[in-house]
Amino acid sequence: MSLPKKSLFELPKGIIYLDGNSLGALPKGAASRAAEVITNQWGGELIRAWNSADWMSLPQIVGDRIAKIIGADAGTVATGDTLSIKIYQALDAALKLRPNRKVILSDDGNFPSDIYMANGLIRTLGDDYELRLVAPEDVMMSITDDVAVVMLTQIDYRTGRMHDMASITKRAHDNGAIMIWDLAHSVGAVPLDLKACRAEFAVGCTYKYLNGGPGAPAFIYARPDIVDKVEPILSGWMGHKTPFTMDLNYQPAQKAERFRVGTPPIVQLSILDAALDIWDDISMPDIRAASIELSELFIKQVEAACPVLKLLSPKDADERGSHVSFAFEYAYEAIQALIDKGVIGDFRAPNIMRFGITPLYIDREDIIHAAEAMGEVINNELYNNPKYKIKARVT
Ligand SMILES: *Cc1c(COP(=O)(O)O)cnc(C)c1O
Protein backbone atom coordinates (compact mmCIF):
# COMPACT_ATOMS: atom_id res chain seq x y z
CA MET A 1 0.00 0.00 0.00
CA SER A 2 1.21 3.50 -0.61
CA LEU A 3 -0.57 6.61 0.55
CA PRO A 4 -1.26 9.15 -2.20
CA LYS A 5 0.30 12.01 -0.26
CA LYS A 6 3.74 12.45 -1.80
CA SER A 7 2.43 15.24 -4.03
CA LEU A 8 1.66 17.27 -0.90
CA PHE A 9 5.38 17.69 -0.13
CA GLU A 10 8.21 19.70 -1.68
CA LEU A 11 10.89 17.08 -2.15
CA PRO A 12 14.13 17.89 -3.96
CA LYS A 13 14.57 15.97 -7.21
CA GLY A 14 16.90 12.98 -7.05
CA ILE A 15 16.72 12.68 -3.27
CA ILE A 16 15.29 9.76 -1.31
CA TYR A 17 14.60 11.15 2.13
CA LEU A 18 14.86 8.60 4.93
CA ASP A 19 15.31 11.09 7.78
CA GLY A 20 11.75 12.29 8.33
CA ASN A 21 11.94 10.82 11.82
CA SER A 22 14.42 13.57 12.68
CA LEU A 23 13.21 16.49 10.55
CA GLY A 24 10.03 15.95 8.55
CA ALA A 25 9.86 17.08 4.92
CA LEU A 26 8.42 20.43 3.83
CA PRO A 27 4.66 20.32 3.17
CA LYS A 28 3.60 22.31 0.10
CA GLY A 29 1.26 24.62 1.99
CA ALA A 30 3.85 25.61 4.59
CA ALA A 31 5.85 28.26 2.75
CA SER A 32 2.81 30.19 1.52
CA ARG A 33 1.30 30.11 5.01
CA ALA A 34 4.54 31.45 6.51
CA ALA A 35 4.65 34.17 3.83
CA GLU A 36 1.04 35.13 4.59
CA VAL A 37 1.75 35.36 8.32
CA ILE A 38 4.95 37.35 7.83
CA THR A 39 3.91 39.67 5.03
CA ASN A 40 0.20 40.28 5.51
CA GLN A 41 -0.37 39.61 9.18
CA TRP A 42 2.84 40.83 10.78
CA GLY A 43 3.72 43.32 8.04
CA GLY A 44 0.22 44.64 7.42
CA GLU A 45 -1.56 44.25 10.70
CA LEU A 46 1.37 44.72 13.06
CA ILE A 47 0.35 44.14 16.67
CA ARG A 48 -3.33 44.14 15.74
CA ALA A 49 -2.81 40.63 14.31
CA TRP A 50 -2.92 39.13 17.83
CA ASN A 51 -6.66 39.79 17.57
CA SER A 52 -7.40 40.34 13.87
CA ALA A 53 -5.57 37.19 12.74
CA ASP A 54 -6.40 35.42 16.02
CA TRP A 55 -2.75 34.69 16.81
CA MET A 56 -3.77 34.41 20.45
CA SER A 57 -5.83 31.27 19.76
CA LEU A 58 -3.28 29.56 17.56
CA PRO A 59 -1.50 27.54 20.32
CA GLN A 60 -4.87 26.12 21.37
CA ILE A 61 -6.09 25.46 17.80
CA VAL A 62 -2.90 23.57 17.00
CA GLY A 63 -3.05 21.74 20.35
CA ASP A 64 -6.55 20.49 19.56
CA ARG A 65 -5.41 19.22 16.17
CA ILE A 66 -2.52 17.31 17.79
CA ALA A 67 -4.93 15.95 20.41
CA LYS A 68 -6.86 14.18 17.64
CA ILE A 69 -3.70 12.47 16.38
CA ILE A 70 -2.74 11.19 19.84
CA GLY A 71 -6.21 10.02 20.84
CA ALA A 72 -6.96 12.80 23.32
CA ASP A 73 -9.83 15.27 23.79
CA ALA A 74 -9.84 18.92 22.77
CA GLY A 75 -8.45 21.19 25.48
CA THR A 76 -6.01 18.60 26.85
CA VAL A 77 -2.93 19.57 24.79
CA ALA A 78 -0.87 22.77 25.06
CA THR A 79 1.77 23.77 22.51
CA GLY A 80 4.92 25.87 22.68
CA ASP A 81 8.56 25.81 23.76
CA THR A 82 10.68 22.73 23.06
CA LEU A 83 10.27 19.13 24.07
CA SER A 84 13.08 19.38 26.63
CA ILE A 85 11.11 22.11 28.43
CA LYS A 86 7.87 20.12 28.25
CA ILE A 87 9.66 17.13 29.84
CA TYR A 88 10.78 19.37 32.71
CA GLN A 89 7.26 20.69 33.25
CA ALA A 90 5.61 17.28 33.08
CA LEU A 91 8.15 15.70 35.41
CA ASP A 92 7.85 18.42 38.04
CA ALA A 93 4.06 18.25 37.89
CA ALA A 94 4.13 14.47 38.16
CA LEU A 95 6.51 14.45 41.15
CA LYS A 96 4.32 16.93 43.01
CA LEU A 97 1.36 14.59 42.59
CA ARG A 98 3.33 11.97 44.60
CA PRO A 99 5.02 14.09 47.29
CA ASN A 100 5.90 11.10 49.48
CA ARG A 101 7.89 9.26 46.82
CA LYS A 102 11.30 10.28 45.48
CA VAL A 103 12.12 7.91 42.63
CA ILE A 104 11.88 8.68 38.90
CA LEU A 105 12.14 5.50 36.84
CA SER A 106 13.36 5.66 33.24
CA ASP A 107 15.41 3.48 30.91
CA ASP A 108 18.88 3.84 29.48
CA GLY A 109 17.51 3.83 25.92
CA ASN A 110 15.88 7.20 26.61
CA PHE A 111 16.98 10.29 24.72
CA PRO A 112 19.83 12.14 26.52
CA SER A 113 17.93 15.44 26.79
CA ASP A 114 15.12 13.74 28.73
CA ILE A 115 17.71 12.39 31.17
CA TYR A 116 19.55 15.73 31.40
CA MET A 117 16.31 17.57 32.14
CA ALA A 118 15.37 15.06 34.84
CA ASN A 119 18.79 15.44 36.49
CA GLY A 120 18.52 19.23 36.22
CA LEU A 121 15.14 19.16 37.92
CA ILE A 122 16.49 16.89 40.67
CA ARG A 123 19.29 19.39 41.34
CA THR A 124 16.61 22.06 41.86
CA LEU A 125 14.33 19.93 43.99
CA GLY A 126 16.97 18.44 46.27
CA ASP A 127 19.19 15.43 46.73
CA ASP A 128 16.57 13.16 48.17
CA TYR A 129 15.27 12.60 44.64
CA GLU A 130 16.71 9.77 42.56
CA LEU A 131 16.67 9.03 38.82
CA ARG A 132 16.73 5.25 38.46
CA LEU A 133 17.79 4.06 35.00
CA VAL A 134 17.23 0.45 34.01
CA ALA A 135 17.52 -1.48 30.75
CA PRO A 136 14.42 -1.11 28.55
CA GLU A 137 13.54 -4.79 28.94
CA ASP A 138 13.67 -4.46 32.74
CA VAL A 139 11.23 -1.55 32.99
CA MET A 140 8.16 -3.63 33.83
CA MET A 141 9.70 -5.45 36.79
CA SER A 142 11.37 -2.26 38.04
CA ILE A 143 8.06 -0.46 38.58
CA THR A 144 7.76 -0.94 42.32
CA ASP A 145 5.74 0.86 44.96
CA ASP A 146 8.51 3.33 45.80
CA VAL A 147 8.44 4.82 42.28
CA ALA A 148 6.84 8.26 42.05
CA VAL A 149 7.01 8.70 38.28
CA VAL A 150 7.69 6.41 35.33
CA MET A 151 9.12 8.56 32.54
CA LEU A 152 9.69 6.77 29.25
CA THR A 153 10.07 7.45 25.57
CA GLN A 154 7.80 5.02 23.76
CA ILE A 155 10.00 4.52 20.71
CA ASP A 156 13.78 4.32 21.14
CA TYR A 157 15.45 7.02 19.03
CA ARG A 158 18.26 4.68 18.07
CA THR A 159 16.75 1.24 17.52
CA GLY A 160 13.05 1.96 17.06
CA ARG A 161 12.21 -0.50 19.84
CA MET A 162 8.71 0.24 21.05
CA HIS A 163 7.36 0.04 24.60
CA ASP A 164 3.80 -1.15 25.16
CA MET A 165 2.10 1.96 26.52
CA ALA A 166 -1.03 0.24 27.82
CA SER A 167 0.65 -2.47 29.91
CA ILE A 168 3.40 -0.23 31.32
CA THR A 169 0.94 2.51 32.24
CA LYS A 170 -1.27 -0.05 33.94
CA ARG A 171 1.63 -1.41 35.96
CA ALA A 172 2.65 2.14 36.94
CA HIS A 173 -0.87 2.85 38.14
CA ASP A 174 -1.18 -0.49 39.95
CA ASN A 175 1.92 0.55 41.89
CA GLY A 176 0.66 4.04 42.60
CA ALA A 177 3.05 5.81 40.19
CA ILE A 178 2.40 8.62 37.72
CA MET A 179 3.09 7.90 34.03
CA ILE A 180 4.78 10.27 31.55
CA TRP A 181 5.17 9.21 27.92
CA ASP A 182 7.51 10.97 25.52
CA LEU A 183 5.97 10.52 22.08
CA ALA A 184 8.73 12.23 20.06
CA HIS A 185 9.16 9.27 17.69
CA SER A 186 5.55 8.10 17.99
CA VAL A 187 3.26 10.98 17.07
CA GLY A 188 2.38 10.71 13.39
CA ALA A 189 4.26 7.39 13.20
CA VAL A 190 2.10 4.91 15.13
CA PRO A 191 -1.54 4.91 16.29
CA LEU A 192 -1.89 6.35 19.80
CA ASP A 193 -4.79 6.21 22.21
CA LEU A 194 -3.93 8.33 25.22
CA LYS A 195 -7.46 8.30 26.55
CA ALA A 196 -7.54 4.53 26.71
CA CYS A 197 -4.01 4.30 28.13
CA ARG A 198 -4.83 6.80 30.90
CA ALA A 199 -1.28 8.09 31.31
CA GLU A 200 -1.29 11.34 33.30
CA PHE A 201 1.12 13.17 30.99
CA ALA A 202 2.50 12.92 27.48
CA VAL A 203 4.88 15.17 25.60
CA GLY A 204 6.30 15.24 22.11
CA CYS A 205 7.79 17.31 19.34
CA THR A 206 6.28 18.28 16.02
CA TYR A 207 9.26 18.66 13.69
CA LYS A 208 9.67 14.88 13.26
CA TYR A 209 6.72 12.92 11.82
CA LEU A 210 4.35 15.92 11.97
CA ASN A 211 6.52 17.94 9.57
CA GLY A 212 6.29 21.23 11.50
CA GLY A 213 9.76 22.42 10.42
CA PRO A 214 13.02 23.04 12.32
CA GLY A 215 12.29 24.41 15.79
CA ALA A 216 8.55 23.75 15.57
CA PRO A 217 6.86 24.00 19.00
CA ALA A 218 6.51 20.98 21.28
CA PHE A 219 3.31 19.78 22.93
CA ILE A 220 2.23 18.54 26.34
CA TYR A 221 -0.86 16.55 27.26
CA ALA A 222 -2.28 16.35 30.77
CA ARG A 223 -5.14 14.04 31.74
CA PRO A 224 -8.21 16.21 32.32
CA ASP A 225 -9.03 14.86 35.80
CA ILE A 226 -5.60 15.76 37.22
CA VAL A 227 -4.64 18.89 35.32
CA ASP A 228 -6.39 21.24 37.75
CA LYS A 229 -4.10 19.99 40.55
CA VAL A 230 -0.95 21.00 38.66
CA GLU A 231 0.97 24.05 39.91
CA PRO A 232 3.21 24.82 36.92
CA ILE A 233 6.92 25.09 37.72
CA LEU A 234 7.39 27.48 34.80
CA SER A 235 4.67 29.93 35.71
CA GLY A 236 4.85 32.34 32.81
CA TRP A 237 2.26 34.93 31.92
CA MET A 238 0.85 32.99 28.95
CA GLY A 239 -0.11 30.20 31.35
CA HIS A 240 -1.92 32.69 33.59
CA LYS A 241 -5.71 32.60 33.78
CA THR A 242 -5.95 36.19 32.54
CA PRO A 243 -2.59 37.38 31.16
CA PHE A 244 -3.80 40.88 30.33
CA THR A 245 -5.07 41.77 33.79
CA MET A 246 -1.32 42.01 34.60
CA ASP A 247 -2.04 40.59 38.03
CA LEU A 248 1.15 40.19 40.09
CA ASN A 249 -0.21 37.01 41.62
CA TYR A 250 0.07 34.00 39.35
CA GLN A 251 -3.10 32.03 38.84
CA PRO A 252 -2.90 29.09 36.43
CA ALA A 253 -5.09 29.00 33.34
CA GLN A 254 -7.71 26.33 32.85
CA LYS A 255 -6.75 22.84 31.72
CA ALA A 256 -3.60 22.23 29.67
CA GLU A 257 -3.24 25.95 28.89
CA ARG A 258 -1.46 26.32 32.22
CA PHE A 259 1.57 24.64 30.63
CA ARG A 260 2.11 27.59 28.32
CA VAL A 261 5.00 29.81 29.37
CA GLY A 262 5.72 32.87 27.22
CA THR A 263 4.77 34.43 23.90
CA PRO A 264 3.94 31.70 21.35
CA PRO A 265 6.12 31.33 18.21
CA ILE A 266 3.45 32.42 15.73
CA VAL A 267 5.36 31.85 12.50
CA GLN A 268 6.35 28.32 13.55
CA LEU A 269 2.87 27.56 14.85
CA SER A 270 1.37 28.71 11.55
CA ILE A 271 3.68 26.43 9.59
CA LEU A 272 2.77 23.55 11.88
CA ASP A 273 -0.93 24.36 11.46
CA ALA A 274 -0.51 24.17 7.68
CA ALA A 275 1.47 20.91 8.01
CA LEU A 276 -1.33 19.39 10.08
CA ASP A 277 -3.82 19.83 7.20
CA ILE A 278 -2.33 16.66 5.72
CA TRP A 279 -3.56 14.65 8.71
CA ASP A 280 -7.20 15.65 8.41
CA ASP A 281 -8.12 12.84 6.05
CA ILE A 282 -5.60 10.21 6.99
CA SER A 283 -6.06 7.28 9.34
CA MET A 284 -3.23 6.31 11.65
CA PRO A 285 -3.89 2.57 11.10
CA ASP A 286 -3.34 3.16 7.35
CA ILE A 287 -0.08 5.00 8.06
CA ARG A 288 1.00 2.21 10.37
CA ALA A 289 0.18 -0.51 7.83
CA ALA A 290 2.15 1.31 5.12
CA SER A 291 5.05 1.95 7.52
CA ILE A 292 5.28 -1.74 8.42
CA GLU A 293 5.10 -2.85 4.81
CA LEU A 294 7.85 -0.43 3.75
CA SER A 295 10.04 -1.21 6.79
CA GLU A 296 9.80 -4.97 6.18
CA LEU A 297 10.75 -4.43 2.55
CA PHE A 298 13.67 -2.19 3.53
CA ILE A 299 15.03 -4.71 6.04
CA LYS A 300 14.70 -7.56 3.54
CA GLN A 301 16.39 -5.64 0.72
CA VAL A 302 19.21 -4.27 2.88
CA GLU A 303 19.93 -7.62 4.51
CA ALA A 304 20.13 -9.19 1.05
CA ALA A 305 22.32 -6.41 -0.40
CA CYS A 306 24.60 -5.85 2.63
CA PRO A 307 25.02 -8.96 4.80
CA VAL A 308 27.76 -7.20 6.80
CA LEU A 309 25.23 -4.80 8.36
CA LYS A 310 23.61 -5.93 11.58
CA LEU A 311 19.94 -5.12 12.15
CA LEU A 312 19.63 -3.26 15.48
CA SER A 313 15.88 -2.73 15.33
CA PRO A 314 13.51 -5.43 16.54
CA LYS A 315 12.80 -7.99 13.81
CA ASP A 316 9.15 -8.19 14.82
CA ALA A 317 7.26 -5.24 13.32
CA ASP A 318 4.92 -5.13 16.33
CA GLU A 319 7.88 -4.20 18.54
CA ARG A 320 9.24 -1.52 16.24
CA GLY A 321 8.25 2.09 15.54
CA SER A 322 8.72 3.70 12.13
CA HIS A 323 12.49 3.80 11.79
CA VAL A 324 15.02 1.08 11.12
CA SER A 325 18.65 0.97 12.27
CA PHE A 326 21.69 -1.05 11.40
CA ALA A 327 25.03 -1.31 13.18
CA PHE A 328 28.19 -0.98 11.10
CA GLU A 329 31.78 -0.23 12.06
CA TYR A 330 32.02 2.65 9.54
CA ALA A 331 28.45 3.87 10.07
CA TYR A 332 29.27 7.59 9.97
CA GLU A 333 31.32 7.35 6.78
CA ALA A 334 28.77 5.06 5.12
CA ILE A 335 25.94 7.53 5.83
CA GLN A 336 27.99 10.37 4.28
CA ALA A 337 28.65 8.25 1.18
CA LEU A 338 24.96 7.38 0.97
CA ILE A 339 23.96 11.04 1.21
CA ASP A 340 26.33 11.75 -1.70
CA LYS A 341 24.31 9.20 -3.65
CA GLY A 342 21.07 11.06 -2.85
CA VAL A 343 19.83 8.78 -0.06
CA ILE A 344 19.53 10.72 3.20
CA GLY A 345 19.59 8.78 6.46
CA ASP A 346 21.52 9.68 9.59
CA PHE A 347 24.21 8.50 11.98
CA ARG A 348 23.76 8.03 15.70
CA ALA A 349 26.69 7.33 18.00
CA PRO A 350 28.44 5.05 18.34
CA ASN A 351 27.91 2.97 15.17
CA ILE A 352 24.32 3.32 14.02
CA MET A 353 22.94 3.93 10.54
CA ARG A 354 19.35 5.10 11.02
CA PHE A 355 16.56 5.37 8.46
CA GLY A 356 13.13 6.92 9.00
CA ILE A 357 10.22 5.32 7.14
CA THR A 358 7.62 8.01 6.49
CA PRO A 359 4.86 6.56 4.29
CA LEU A 360 3.41 9.99 3.53
CA TYR A 361 6.28 10.67 1.16
CA ILE A 362 8.23 7.40 0.82
CA ASP A 363 7.10 4.58 -1.45
CA ARG A 364 8.26 1.08 -2.45
CA GLU A 365 10.33 2.37 -5.31
CA ASP A 366 12.25 4.70 -2.96
CA ILE A 367 12.92 1.81 -0.61
CA ILE A 368 14.24 -0.42 -3.37
CA HIS A 369 16.51 2.33 -4.71
CA ALA A 370 17.77 3.17 -1.23
CA ALA A 371 18.69 -0.45 -0.55
CA GLU A 372 20.52 -0.64 -3.90
CA ALA A 373 22.49 2.49 -3.03
CA MET A 374 23.40 0.96 0.33
CA GLY A 375 24.62 -2.15 -1.45
CA GLU A 376 26.93 0.00 -3.59
CA VAL A 377 28.26 1.98 -0.63
CA ILE A 378 28.96 -1.07 1.50
CA ASN A 379 30.10 -3.62 -1.07
CA ASN A 380 32.28 -1.20 -3.06
CA GLU A 381 33.61 0.25 0.22
CA LEU A 382 32.74 3.78 -0.88
CA TYR A 383 32.78 4.70 2.82
CA ASN A 384 36.58 4.43 2.74
CA ASN A 385 36.96 7.80 1.00
CA PRO A 386 38.80 10.07 3.51
CA LYS A 387 36.42 12.97 2.84
CA TYR A 388 33.67 11.01 4.62
CA LYS A 389 35.65 10.91 7.86
CA ILE A 390 35.26 14.62 8.57
CA LYS A 391 32.65 14.89 11.30
CA ALA A 392 30.03 17.63 10.89
CA ARG A 393 28.47 19.39 13.92
CA VAL A 394 25.13 17.69 13.28
CA THR A 395 25.11 14.03 12.35
C1 LIG B 1 13.90 14.62 19.35
C2 LIG B 1 13.81 14.34 20.81
C3 LIG B 1 14.04 15.35 21.76
C4 LIG B 1 14.47 16.74 21.36
O1 LIG B 1 14.09 17.71 22.27
P1 LIG B 1 14.06 19.26 21.85
O2 LIG B 1 13.91 19.98 23.11
O3 LIG B 1 12.88 19.41 20.93
O4 LIG B 1 15.31 19.55 21.12
C5 LIG B 1 13.86 15.03 23.11
N1 LIG B 1 13.49 13.80 23.50
C6 LIG B 1 13.29 12.80 22.61
C7 LIG B 1 12.88 11.45 23.09
C8 LIG B 1 13.46 13.04 21.25
O5 LIG B 1 13.29 12.05 20.37
Side-chain angles (χ1 to χ4, degrees):
M1 183 194 354
S2 82
L3 300 155
K5 294 287 176 190
K6 206 169 182 172
S7 62
L8 300 179
F9 290 86
E10 301 279 0
L11 293 162
K13 281 223 162 20
I15 293 286
I16 296 173
Y17 191 56
L18 299 179
D19 214 354
N21 58 313
S22 198
L23 176 66
L26 171 64
K28 272 196 179 138
S32 59
R33 177 71 178 271
E36 154 75 16
V37 171
I38 291 170
T39 307
N40 297 339
Q41 297 179 3
W42 177 20
E45 289 291 292
L46 295 167
I47 201 164
R48 293 171 295 182
W50 284 104
N51 292 313
S52 63
D54 207 12
W55 285 352
M56 204 56 181
S57 303
L58 199 53
Q60 174 87 65
I61 290 168
V62 170
D64 287 349
R65 299 186 80 180
I66 294 169
K68 274 197 192 145
I69 299 174
I70 62 176
D73 286 332
T76 60
V77 172
T79 56
D81 315 301
T82 70
L83 176 50
S84 303
I85 286 176
K86 294 298 152 198
I87 282 279
Y88 191 82
Q89 291 176 293
L91 187 54
D92 178 77
L95 287 171
K96 285 178 181 155
L97 291 171
R98 289 292 177 274
N100 297 325
R101 298 186 182 194
K102 304 292 173 187
V103 175
I104 303 159
L105 181 74
S106 191
D107 70 45
D108 58 16
N110 207 344
F111 191 80
S113 200
D114 297 40
I115 303 298
Y116 303 157
M117 294 310 282
N119 279 321
L121 179 63
I122 287 174
R123 282 194 295 276
T124 314
L125 295 179
D127 284 345
D128 48 345
Y129 283 90
E130 173 198 345
L131 175 62
R132 195 174 285 167
L133 289 183
V134 300
E137 57 275 19
D138 294 339
V139 162
M140 268 303 235
M141 66 179 198
S142 305
I143 303 175
T144 45
D145 64 9
D146 60 337
V147 171
V149 180
V150 181
M151 176 189 89
L152 294 172
T153 297
Q154 187 199 10
I155 297 176
D156 186 304
Y157 73 103
R158 290 171 304 188
T159 63
R161 175 207 37 75
M162 184 161 63
H163 277 308
D164 181 46
M165 286 176 66
S167 62
I168 292 179
T169 305
K170 181 170 185 307
R171 172 138 180 127
H173 289 166
D174 287 348
N175 283 275
I178 303 285
M179 186 75 225
I180 303 174
W181 284 107
D182 186 332
L183 304 176
H185 285 277
S186 312
V187 60
V190 296
L192 295 166
D193 192 349
L194 270 179
K195 248 163 86 172
C197 134
R198 293 200 48 75
E200 282 83 356
F201 299 98
V203 293
C205 51
T206 62
Y207 48 80
K208 292 172 179 162
Y209 292 89
L210 294 184
N211 312 307
F219 67 87
I220 181 167
Y221 160 89
R223 211 175 69 194
D225 62 303
I226 51 118
V227 69
D228 292 340
K229 298 184 193 129
V230 172
E231 302 249 358
I233 177 127
L234 302 178
S235 39
W237 72 313
M238 285 293 154
H240 191 280
K241 202 164 79 178
T242 53
F244 282 90
T245 56
M246 304 292 172
D247 181 2
L248 290 185
N249 294 311
Y250 177 80
Q251 290 184 60
Q254 293 294 301
K255 304 196 216 168
E257 288 295 282
R258 70 186 55 201
F259 287 106
R260 288 179 55 186
V261 183
T263 303
I266 294 301
V267 178
Q268 285 280 189
L269 271 168
S270 306
I271 294 171
L272 174 58
D273 192 36
L276 291 172
D277 287 348
I278 291 168
W279 300 87
D280 283 346
D281 57 350
I282 218 145
S283 96
M284 280 314 301
D286 283 351
I287 292 260
R288 177 66 173 155
S291 155
I292 289 177
E293 186 190 318
L294 295 172
S295 301
E296 297 282 286
L297 178 66
F298 187 60
I299 292 170
K300 187 172 129 233
Q301 298 290 109
V302 171
E303 286 188 329
C306 326
V308 58
L309 298 190
K310 183 177 167 293
L311 180 69
L312 273 185
S313 302
K315 256 196 163 11
D316 180 350
D318 290 339
E319 292 170 18
R320 195 172 65 219
S322 203
H323 63 271
V324 173
S325 302
F326 295 92
F328 180 52
E329 188 179 354
Y330 304 101
Y332 181 79
E333 294 87 339
I335 285 287
Q336 308 319 306
L338 206 51
I339 293 172
D340 258 3
K341 289 189 144 302
V343 177
I344 302 183
D346 64 19
F347 163 81
R348 283 292 174 268
N351 63 345
I352 299 174
M353 300 173 74
R354 185 176 73 156
F355 303 94
I357 310 294
T358 50
L360 288 177
Y361 49 87
I362 288 294
D363 55 28
R364 289 181 68 89
E365 209 179 316
D366 295 326
I367 293 291
I368 288 167
H369 284 147
E372 279 168 12
M374 280 175 76
E376 287 168 32
V377 165
I378 304 295
N379 300 321
N380 300 334
E381 300 187 8
L382 302 185
Y383 53 83
N384 266 336
N385 188 324
K387 74 176 173 181
Y388 297 138
K389 295 209 182 296
I390 302 161
K391 280 255 164 77
R393 279 188 76 178
V394 175
T395 64

